[in-house]
Amino acid sequence: MDRPLVPFGRPRAERADAARNREHLLDAARLMIAEHGVDKVTMDALAERAGLGKGTVFRRFGTRAGIFRALIEADERRFQELVLSGPPPLGPGADPVERLVAYGRARIRFLLEHRTLARAAIERGQPLPEGEVDMTALHLRVLLVQADPDLGEPDGLAIMLKAALEGPPLMFLASDEPRSPREAEHLLTESWRTLVERLLPQQTPADRP
Amino acid sequence: MDRPLVPFGRPRAERADAARNREHLLDAARLMIAEHGVDKVTMDALAERAGLGKGTVFRRFGTRAGIFRALIEADERRFQELVLSGPPPLGPGADPVERLVAYGRARIRFLLEHRTLARAAIERGQPLPEGEVDMTALHLRVLLVQADPDLGEPDGLAIMLKAALEGPPLMFLASDEPRSPREAEHLLTESWRTLVERLLPQQTPADRP
DNA sequence: AATATAAGCGGGGTAAAGTCCGTTTAATAT
DNA sequence: ATATTAAACGGACTTTACCCCGCTTATATT
């Protein structure tokens, strides 16, 4: 008759078979992608390959895009750790403008390296794939304010700069002629630097006594 | 036996019945959207509503997204005309920085007003929906170079600024809390102004003799 | 007016995402 | 060890975009 003493604990850890099956599914997905590319990863084929039912696939990942999001997640976490506690200028310690430039360079490279998965991880519904909160917009906002406390509309600017940074690699420079990822990386990185350095006052040595 | 004397004329104008059916389909789509929203516009339902076969719908518009692209097209053309030959500062004649600010304001409003259709017009494949060429990136590039001929990487900057301008309204400020379109429009317009005016040297009266 | 032909048409067929619900089972309480 | 139950499972079912291809017709040519 007693109710559990801690009725509000987290919703009870994932069952062991569920965790095992998730790994099976992710492994199967990785193999299928390596063999035939993302397009051939259908929910039916993935379920069969992993020896599970289709319902299980949807229960685990919600949507097709969810599978690809899960595949990127580990790398994304590593990336965020470098940003939050790695060496400067990407990590804390450097001048905010330098950190913004470094973040852009790293993010562009990350997205271009993961572009196939990242594109497949975009939901056909509303927003871009974010792990609960939008780390990029958040981080950009913080650095923008640090670089210039008097900046108007930091929220809006953070949103726009996030789009400027992440849109082109995800769409792989949607416009005009095709470019190699190498050329794209260089072009975008340099453009980002220009954008950031012009947008924010350079902190020259003369500024600090 | 003779082949046509002008074998390379354009591929022969659209047949009258085809044009008529296209209008019927667009009318039907508009009605269905007004009544039940874009999601209920399925290819089967649209075909039936217009009294045509499903194959005809695909022949006319290629994909589902193509229908929504066609619905926006007229408005998009009007917009481009205002930009190319309307009154300044949106049209030609004003200072490039002013034109960039004006273009951003107009584009943000346009995309927010059309956001439902515009989102539905995005293909689940690669690029964002563009009418053959990417007018926004092109226009931004021209104005950027006019405003500052020494700007490095105008191509990359144009691509990034296009993403900064069009991404947020299309994704409707994907991140954080929901905002009303009104608030969104104001926030983005002001942010765009800040971005452009900081990015480019203000043309002060003193600069011109 | 008759003919030729490329364009258009229709609707059944396929593939794939996502839903539903009855059955099974891991984890926990007794 | 047994009972309990919430979670997990599986696979049939539904929905929808998109393909295919034999038939029809508008238009141009003679």
Side-chain angles (χ1 to χ4, degrees), chain A residues 190-206:
Chain A
E190 285 309 305
S191 303
W192 176 255
R193 176 201 301 283
T194 302
L195 192 59
V196 167
E197 291 183 347
R198 286 199 173 217
L199 186 61
L200 297 165
Q202 276 304 76
Q203 193 166 28
T204 61

Side-chain angles (χ1 to χ4, degrees), chain A residues 164 175 195, chain B residues 79-80 83-84 90 96-105 107-108 134-148 151 153-167 192 195-196 199-200:
Chain A
S175 46
L195 192 59
Chain B
F79 178 84
Q80 292 300 340
V83 173
L84 294 179
L90 184 57
V97 174
E98 282 176 49
R99 287 194 77 192
L100 281 167
V101 171
Y103 185 83
R105 181 206 305 285
R107 193 72 185 149
I108 287 164
D134 184 343
M135 290 305 293
T136 291
L138 209 60
H139 190 60
L140 292 180
R141 207 204 110 104
V142 169
L143 292 178
L144 282 170
V145 171
Q146 282 182 11
D148 183 354
L151 200 66
E153 310 289 5
D155 287 326
L157 277 173
I159 290 171
M160 280 192 162
L161 289 179
K162 170 197 159 70
L165 185 58
E166 300 193 336
W192 175 256
L195 192 60
V196 168
L199 186 60
L200 297 165

Side-chain angles (χ1 to χ4, degrees), chain A residues 23-96:
Chain A
E23 290 312 314
H24 288 168
L25 285 167
L26 290 177
D27 287 345
R30 275 186 276 261
L31 285 174
M32 292 174 75
I33 290 170
E35 285 171 22
H36 306 108
V38 286
D39 289 351
K40 288 292 178 54
V41 182
T42 68
M43 301 309 254
D44 287 289
L46 178 59
E48 188 177 5
R49 177 80 173 239
L52 296 169
K54 184 157 51 149
T56 304
V57 182
F58 279 95
R59 163 169 291 264
R60 281 283 83 80
F61 298 108
T63 67
R64 192 183 116 97
I67 292 167
F68 301 107
R69 226 181 309 148
L71 285 173
I72 304 183
E73 204 170 274
D75 285 0
E76 188 78 51
R77 232 186 332 264
R78 263 194 295 279
F79 178 84
Q80 292 301 339
E81 270 165 31
L82 285 178
V83 173
L84 294 178
S85 57
L90 184 57
D95 170 271

Side-chain angles (χ1 to χ4, degrees), chain B residues 15 21 53-56 59-60:
Chain B
R15 247 165 67 168
N21 285 338
K54 194 177 9 171
T56 304
R59 164 169 289 265
R60 282 282 83 80

